[in-house]
Amino acid sequence: MKHQKKADQNIAYSLKQIVFYFLKLGTWGFGGPVALVGYMQRDLVEDKKWISEEEYKEGLALAQLAPGPLAAQLGIYIGFVHYGFLGATLSGLAFVLPSFIMVVILGMVYQLYGGLAWMQAVFYGVGAAVIGIIAVSAYKLTIKSISKLELSAIRSNWLLWIFYVLGIGITVITEREEILLFLACGLFYMVIKAPPKWLKKSSSLPAGIFISTGFWNYDSKTLQEIGWFFAKAGAFVFGSGLAIVPFLHGGVVKEFGWLTEHQFVDSVAVAMITPGPVVITVGFIGYLVAGFPGACVAALATFLPCYLFTVALAPSFKKIARNVSIKAFVQGITAAVIGALVGSVIVIGLRSITDIATAAIAIGAVLALIYIKKIQEPYIVAAAAIIGLLIKFI
């Protein structure tokens, strides 16, 4: 703490400035988790020089090692660096709040107009594009987190590839997330690659408009189910926020039946067209299930684990980061989770790609992301929405 106080006397920014920065990033930060962490590095390390390169890298490493959406965790850590728990709390809230407000408003609009032909036409195109976007993201996560698609790399990481294939297969067969599989993969990889010492020794407007949009439509039992389910989802998301998709699909569509398949794809699409962390789709889903209280509970339950992990681990993270057993545990879980993400793309894709037009839109989204280097997802989603309208009404 003495070192913390001493550092605070020499910092180049106020708590108000860092909170305002994350408020702006949460409002205008499009492009997904990789783009968001890139903005933080450019703005806070290179341009403003508020955070050192070493502090940024430590925060990024923690965000990758601990469960939680990557960009949100890094934002919380950066807030913690010089302003402790208060900085972490306010930075995290500022980062998430703008996109949360946006998805709640979109949820209200969706409840009002979701049954109309023009809205269905929009999401006809958008849903197909989202499948393509997630497929590309799943590929990038595979290459980054497991290994390149080269024979030598696959051989050296063969166990992670087995976990990955297991994640795909079990998700496609069961159409739900299997948390026990992820834990088992993590523990098994840890025991094989870097068993901990202790193991060696022994062995979550107007009144009329609010009513028609289901703003306060909920029951307490559903809120409890939402809280518990989304807390579990938030505790098992490593790296990209898109890794939460298989968890959400298995519970929201299959286990509880809160949303239909098309509504779920629409929910993921909403996350693509709003700035801030992709995981904020939980707010939209929560709103559709149980109005504004459901949105609040879903968002709070999802982001709380990542906040708690960050503020708990940040003070002693340098020591934790060197623990090879923890790294191995996370690697094992990550391989299975990314496999589950690929499996969920297959499951959702089989239901969303229903004709030649949707197949063409999905393939077009993939090709755009591959060959148009600087294009961002919201532009692809907007183009898909226009194509959907043209197909349905012309």
Side-chain angles (χ1 to χ4, degrees), residues 171-177 229 246-261 264 347-348 351:
T171 302
V172 171
I173 293 168
T174 65
E175 299 188 0
R176 56 177 294 171
E177 84 287 354
F229 170 72
F247 289 94
L248 298 184
H249 180 262
V252 169
V253 178
K254 295 297 176 183
E255 183 179 351
F256 294 102
W258 287 330
L259 301 184
T260 65
E261 202 76 49
F264 180 77
V347 172
I348 300 169
R351 290 173 171 80

Side-chain angles (χ1 to χ4, degrees), residues 100 103-104 107 111 213-215 217-218 222-223 226-227 229-230 248 252 258-259 267 279-299 302:
F100 174 75
V103 297
V104 167
Q111 292 284 50
T213 60
F215 190 81
N217 184 24
Y218 76 98
T222 302
L223 285 183
I226 289 172
F229 170 72
F230 283 97
L248 298 184
V252 169
W258 287 330
L259 301 184
S267 301
V279 177
I280 201 60
T281 187
V282 300
F284 184 84
I285 293 171
Y287 187 90
L288 296 189
V289 178
F292 183 68
C296 292
V297 171
T302 303

Side-chain angles (χ1 to χ4, degrees), residues 52-224:
S52 70
E53 187 73 35
E54 182 183 359
E55 289 166 337
Y56 174 84
K57 287 181 178 178
E58 286 176 1
L60 189 59
L62 174 58
Q64 290 173 323
L65 277 176
L70 182 70
Q73 267 195 304
L74 180 57
I76 292 169
Y77 183 87
I78 288 174
F80 183 89
V81 169
H82 291 130
Y83 289 100
F85 297 112
L86 182 61
T89 304
L90 295 180
S91 295
L93 285 173
F95 186 37
V96 172
L97 191 60
S99 53
F100 174 75
I101 293 172
M102 290 179 201
V103 297
V104 167
I105 293 172
L106 287 171
M108 295 171 69
V109 173
Y110 190 85
Q111 292 284 50
L112 275 174
Y113 302 112
L116 299 185
W118 67 268
M119 179 69 87
Q120 292 174 352
V122 165
F123 280 102
Y124 170 82
V126 168
V130 165
I131 299 301
I133 292 169
I134 300 177
V136 172
S137 297
Y139 170 76
K140 289 179 179 178
L141 283 171
T142 300
I143 301 303
K144 179 182 177 182
S145 302
I146 302 177
S147 78
K148 293 182 179 179
L149 295 177
E150 298 171 354
L151 191 58
S152 58
I154 293 173
R155 281 177 179 173
S156 61
N157 295 280
W158 63 272
L159 190 54
L160 291 178
W161 280 101
I162 288 176
F163 296 157
Y164 176 80
V165 173
L166 274 174
I168 295 174
I170 291 177
T171 302
V172 171
I173 293 168
T174 65
E175 299 188 0
R176 56 177 294 171
E177 84 287 354
E178 296 293 344
I179 293 175
L180 291 178
L181 169 69
F182 305 144
L183 287 174
C185 290
L187 289 170
F188 187 73
Y189 197 70
M190 179 182 70
V191 170
I192 296 297
K193 289 291 183 179
K197 293 180 180 179
W198 60 266
L199 191 60
K200 292 178 181 178
K201 292 179 181 177
S202 55
S203 63
S204 190
L205 297 158
I209 293 178
F210 286 120
I211 292 171
S212 59
T213 60
F215 190 81
W216 211 256
N217 184 24
Y218 76 98
D219 65 72
S220 56
K221 182 183 177 183
T222 302
L223 285 183
Q224 291 174 10

Side-chain angles (χ1 to χ4, degrees), residues 1 3-4 55 58-63 66 73-85 88 306-321:
M1 290 302 294
H3 174 74
Q4 182 78 34
E55 289 166 337
E58 286 176 1
L60 189 59
L62 174 58
Q73 267 195 304
L74 180 57
I76 292 169
Y77 183 87
I78 288 174
F80 183 89
V81 169
H82 291 130
Y83 289 100
F85 297 112
C306 107
Y307 170 80
L308 293 177
F309 271 108
T310 303
V311 298
L313 297 177
S316 56
F317 178 65
K318 287 185 178 180
K319 182 178 179 181
I320 295 169

